[in-house]
Amino acid sequence: MNRVVVGAQWGDEGKAKITDLLAQNADLIIRYQGGCNAGHTVVAHNKTFKFHLIPSGILYGGKTCFIGAGTVILPEAFEREVTELIEQGIDVSGLKVSPLASITMPYHTEVDGYSEDNAKKGKIGTTKKGIGPTYTDKAARIGLKIEDLYSPEALNEKLDVILPLKNKTLEKVYGLQPYSKDCILALCEKYAQIFRPYVCFDWQEMLNNSKKKQVLFEGAQGVMLDVDYGTYPFVTSSNPIGGGACTGSGFGPKMIDEVIGVAKAYVTRVGEGPFVTELTDETGDKIREIGHEFGVTTGRPRRCGWFDAVTMKYSVLVGGLTSVALTKIDVFDTFDEIKICTAYKDTRDGKIYKSYPTNVFIHKYLEPVYETHKGWDVDITGIREYEKLPENCKKYLARLEELLEVPISIVSVGPDREQTIFKK
């Protein structure tokens, strides 16, 4: 069974824990898109591990963990993450990097930071890790790939094309310092040393040999941050949806059997952009505090709100979800009432939206239409069987399945591996 794990909301849904659990039975785990702007947290062996680029399946010794061609890699962040894992006693011998992955250069992070800090309007809320500018150069065909680091002739020819264009933009558009060719070549020599132990030049053979093995595809961010289907322009620069697993990994769609969408029992978002069910009151603060909703990469407090079935149904459609893994339902253990948004109402004319309106600029006129469910006032963090969950909790889950029209296959009742219920 080959599975894709995707975020079904705006990222930070707890994908790393679900990926970590499913990786136990996988032979190959592939991170297929995004960069170090992602933050995945796994609690295992009484330790907390924080991932940004490396597939969380690395915690299982002997697994092959592949960072695919659809990713963008900041070399310094990659080196730091590998070093931290080694210091924690984790075996990274199974870690492999695609030679086709794109490199985030210093000028990418500079441009990202400048654009975000100086945006008077249209601030996106990026992590300033250079992700967007790296994907921009990739699409413009003026980016550098890992394999270029090991081909002096190709690297020199590319830099002769890239640097005049890049320096002109850096100076004229952003007022930033240009880079000399010697400076970039020296950086690339350093990067070559960082990646040398992990570059998988025989990736085609590796994928061919994995066709009869179990493969787990790991995405970053979430469906609502997809560059094509998310709340554009308040999105990431890649395709976190299930279909992105194919373009980012090198495998075709026939290799995918199941797409699991990870969603919280509520909704969070980091950065700018529309969020119809956002709670800016004491309830939102309570969810944030109980759920420890602060960004792994930036530490920023996450915006919190009630579960949004409108966006979630949209995620099921465009994300290709076959089931849902619901996380952090235990956050509601002390809540008397829990709400689900089942539609949007346009405050201008009263129009009701049951399907997700993709024009995000009308979202400021939308208000959520809620239905209210009773809480359960029981600590469920120690429960391991679905049947033993409180009745009101099971009713809440059943209602979500009814609304989304896909089963909830996994229920997470805490951050630890063991705090997981696999629903039959």
Side-chain angles (χ1 to χ4, degrees):
M1 178 73 73
N2 295 334
R3 297 182 173 98
V4 183
V5 177
V6 305
Q9 296 162 325
W10 278 287
D12 306 311
E13 305 94 346
K15 293 182 295 297
K17 174 185 172 175
I18 304 304
T19 305
D20 170 67
L21 285 166
L22 298 177
Q24 188 171 1
N25 297 316
D27 302 296
L28 171 64
I29 302 99
I30 303 177
R31 166 72 181 276
Y32 61 84
Q33 49 75 225
C36 62
N37 55 337
H40 296 171
T41 302
V42 175
V43 179
H45 312 304
N46 296 316
K47 293 182 180 179
T48 299
F49 299 90
K50 300 195 175 193
F51 298 93
H52 299 277
L53 278 163
I54 296 172
S56 46
I58 198 73
L59 295 178
Y60 294 98
K63 303 286 185 182
T64 300
C65 291
F66 184 54
I67 301 178
T71 61
V72 297
I73 305 178
L74 180 63
E76 294 85 356
F78 174 85
E79 182 182 38
R80 183 166 55 251
E81 192 170 344
V82 170
T83 300
E84 288 174 357
L85 286 170
I86 292 172
E87 289 175 348
Q88 288 178 290
I90 302 302
D91 178 11
V92 297
S93 60
L95 179 61
K96 299 181 183 295
V97 178
S98 172
L100 299 180
S102 297
I103 303 171
T104 296
M105 301 297 290
Y107 46 76
H108 291 135
T109 54
E110 289 177 16
V111 167
D112 198 6
Y114 179 92
S115 299
E116 193 66 18
D117 291 339
N118 292 278
K120 294 180 180 178
K121 288 186 178 181
K123 187 183 287 285
I124 302 299
T126 77
T127 57
K128 304 179 187 179
K129 301 291 184 182
I131 308 301
T134 309
Y135 276 114
T136 297
D137 281 2
K138 175 183 177 179
R141 300 178 292 275
I142 55 170
L144 292 175
K145 293 181 176 287
I146 299 288
E147 66 181 5
D148 296 329
L149 300 174
Y150 307 97
S151 176
E153 184 178 356
L155 182 60
N156 271 278
E157 286 188 15
K158 281 194 171 186
L159 290 179
D160 285 340
V161 174
I162 293 170
L163 279 180
L165 294 170
K166 188 57 59 180
N167 282 335
K168 184 177 181 180
T169 303
L170 289 171
E171 291 182 280
K172 301 295 184 182
V173 177
Y174 298 103
L176 298 171
Q177 291 297 310
Y179 283 84
S180 69
K181 186 177 181 181
D182 286 342
C183 174
I184 296 297
L185 285 172
L187 275 173
C188 287
E189 186 176 341
K190 175 186 172 185
Y191 294 164
Q193 295 304 314
I194 291 173
F195 291 116
R196 194 178 301 280
Y198 309 103
V199 183
C200 183
F201 288 104
D202 60 348
W203 64 271
Q204 295 177 59
E205 182 181 351
M206 181 188 71
L207 295 190
N208 273 318
N209 291 338
S210 299
K211 286 184 176 178
K212 294 183 179 180
K213 296 180 179 179
Q214 291 202 46
V215 183
L216 182 65
F217 302 84
E218 177 181 3
Q221 288 88 36
V223 171
M224 298 310 295
L225 289 174
D226 187 274
V227 69
D228 291 307
Y229 295 102
T231 48
Y232 190 89
F234 306 100
V235 293
T236 192
S237 301
S238 58
N239 294 112
I241 58 172
C246 297
T247 54
S249 69
F251 277 123
K254 285 187 175 182
M255 283 292 290
I256 296 174
D257 300 306
E258 187 178 5
V259 182
I260 301 172
V262 185
K264 286 174 181 166
Y266 48 94
V267 185
T268 63
R269 177 164 199 170
V270 172
E272 307 298 321
F275 186 173
V276 175
T277 66
E278 182 174 10
L279 297 168
T280 56
D281 56 9
E282 291 181 359
T283 302
D285 293 339
K286 182 177 179 180
I287 292 174
R288 184 180 303 108
E289 290 304 316
I290 296 175
H292 306 292
E293 295 298 349
F294 299 90
V296 176
T297 300
T298 63
R300 291 181 292 182
R302 295 175 183 141
R303 300 155 64 190
C304 299
W306 294 118
F307 190 92
D308 187 341
V310 180
T311 60
M312 192 66 194
K313 283 191 290 184
Y314 177 74
S315 293
V316 170
L317 174 66
V318 300
L321 309 188
T322 57
S323 71
V324 171
L326 197 75
T327 66
K328 293 201 168 184
I329 193 167
D330 53 293
V331 169
F332 288 148
D333 282 356
T334 60
F335 281 63
D336 295 325
E337 291 184 339
I338 304 162
K339 294 184 180 182
I340 301 172
C341 171
T342 58
Y344 298 157
K345 180 181 179 180
D346 194 319
T347 56
R348 297 171 297 178
D349 56 14
K351 180 178 179 180
I352 298 295
Y353 291 90
K354 291 195 174 181
S355 294
Y356 178 74
T358 57
N359 180 4
V360 301
F361 291 96
I362 71 165
H363 283 216
K364 60 189 173 184
Y365 302 112
L366 303 179
E367 63 181 21
V369 177
Y370 286 123
E371 60 181 37
T372 303
H373 294 257
K374 291 182 179 179
W376 41 89
D377 196 25
V378 174
D379 182 353
I380 65 171
T381 57
I383 296 176
R384 300 293 179 267
E385 297 175 32
Y386 184 80
E387 292 73 19
K388 293 183 179 179
L389 287 170
E391 199 60 35
N392 285 345
C393 182
K394 286 189 286 186
K395 286 181 179 179
Y396 178 75
L397 293 171
R399 179 55 177 154
L400 293 184
E401 287 184 320
E402 184 180 23
L403 287 167
L404 304 180
E405 298 180 349
V406 291
I408 293 174
S409 57
I410 300 172
V411 180
S412 174
V413 294
D416 250 317
R417 279 176 179 168
E418 293 74 21
Q419 292 177 298
T420 308
I421 298 170
F422 289 89
K423 186 168 172 277
K424 298 177 182 178

